[in-house]
Amino acid sequence: MSKRGVTILLTLLLTVCLIGMQQVKTGREGQSLAAEAETAGDKLVALTFDDGPHEGSTERLLEGLKEREVKATFFLIGQSVEGKEELVKQMAQDGHLIGSHTFHHVQLTGLSLEEACGEITMTNEAISGVTGQTVEYIRPPYGSWNSKLECAVNMHEVGWTVDPRDWDVKDTDVIVKRVLNDVKDGSIILLHDVYDTSVEAAFQIIDELKAQGYTFVTVDRLLID
């Protein structure tokens, strides 16, 4: 083959490669845009769980969430992480958001600023030491938070909009009914993964809300939106 022929052949091959790459890129962008459009039309809700991890009920919860392809948010007690590191690793690996609920489940506003920051720091270190991820979100016990803490620690406080008081009633049917009565697009549901009744309620809530067209997201998604 002449030099001119080789040059023409190489040019054609390069053109085909460039066209193929552009088609792949366009396809990926199209898939991304389609996913965004689909999510944009969804009713979004966040399931959040406080006071864990608990070796029995949290493990069962993680299994059920994985089966249902649902991502949730866990606010962990720092002192409960020890001995349950594998559960915390599983949370992270499954794509759940993990936040702080203080080290000893204390009311932060009842402590000195130094003590409160210590509670938060110890919890963050316990979690990040297992997951390797920075802890950015905190749900202060009893919702007790103030502006001094905002200045002292660089974290996002997370509240809730639906509270069935599962820790008090410990009745699956009541918990489910209360949540379904109050939930709406953008709701943040408060539950506790240390109770079997709450775990079972979570599964029923997920199944029912999915049937109603809800999509479950981690709480940071709602705060950003």
Side-chain angles (χ1 to χ4, degrees):
M1 184 181 292
S2 66
K3 290 183 179 181
R4 185 169 180 272
V6 171
T7 301
I8 293 173
L9 180 59
L10 290 175
T11 301
L12 288 173
L13 289 173
L14 179 59
T15 302
V16 170
C17 289
L18 288 174
I19 291 173
M21 291 173 64
Q22 183 61 41
Q23 288 176 338
V24 170
K25 180 181 178 183
T26 302
R28 287 174 179 170
E29 289 177 348
Q31 291 174 358
S32 177
L33 290 172
E36 290 179 5
E38 182 180 354
T39 304
D42 287 342
K43 295 181 290 185
L44 304 181
V45 63
L47 266 179
T48 67
F49 298 92
D50 289 5
D51 291 1
H54 184 276
E55 190 169 358
S57 51
T58 302
E59 183 176 4
R60 179 173 171 241
L61 175 61
L62 290 174
E63 292 172 355
L65 293 175
K66 192 170 187 177
E67 290 173 0
R68 291 166 173 79
E69 299 182 333
V70 165
K71 301 294 186 289
T73 303
F74 291 85
F75 293 100
L76 305 185
I77 301 292
Q79 66 177 350
S80 296
V81 170
E82 184 176 359
K84 306 177 189 69
E85 290 86 355
E86 291 305 314
L87 280 178
V88 179
K89 285 181 184 178
Q90 191 64 52
M91 286 178 192
Q93 291 170 0
D94 288 351
H96 302 297
L97 181 65
I98 303 176
S100 168
H101 200 46
T102 74
F103 200 82
H104 298 102
H105 198 281
V106 292
Q107 185 168 346
L108 293 172
T109 53
L111 304 176
S112 68
L113 185 59
E114 182 179 1
E115 291 171 329
C117 289
E119 282 282 331
I120 297 169
T121 300
M122 286 191 298
T123 307
N124 292 353
E125 290 176 349
I127 295 171
S128 62
V130 174
T131 66
Q133 301 172 358
T134 301
V135 182
E136 300 181 9
Y137 296 88
I138 181 170
R139 173 170 282 159
Y142 318 107
S144 184
W145 190 253
N146 61 38
S147 57
K148 289 182 180 180
L149 287 168
E150 290 179 6
C151 296
V153 293
N154 185 26
M155 298 186 73
H156 304 287
E157 179 205 359
V158 180
W160 58 86
T161 60
V162 178
D163 179 9
R165 295 177 65 85
D166 60 321
W167 56 271
D168 183 28
V169 297
K170 297 185 181 68
D171 184 309
T172 295
D173 292 338
V174 173
I175 296 167
V176 172
K177 183 177 180 180
R178 288 179 177 179
V179 170
L180 296 181
N181 283 343
D182 294 341
V183 74
K184 60 182 180 181
D185 184 20
S187 288
I188 298 175
I189 301 169
L190 169 61
L191 293 171
H192 298 76
D193 54 311
V194 295
Y195 305 113
D196 289 330
T197 49
S198 297
V199 170
E200 179 57 37
F203 296 156
Q204 294 185 28
I205 290 165
I206 290 169
D207 294 343
E208 177 59 32
L209 291 184
K210 274 193 167 186
Q212 294 181 24
Y214 281 88
T215 295
F216 288 85
V217 297
T218 52
V219 75
D220 54 326
R221 173 67 184 278
L222 295 183
L223 298 178
I224 291 172
D225 290 347

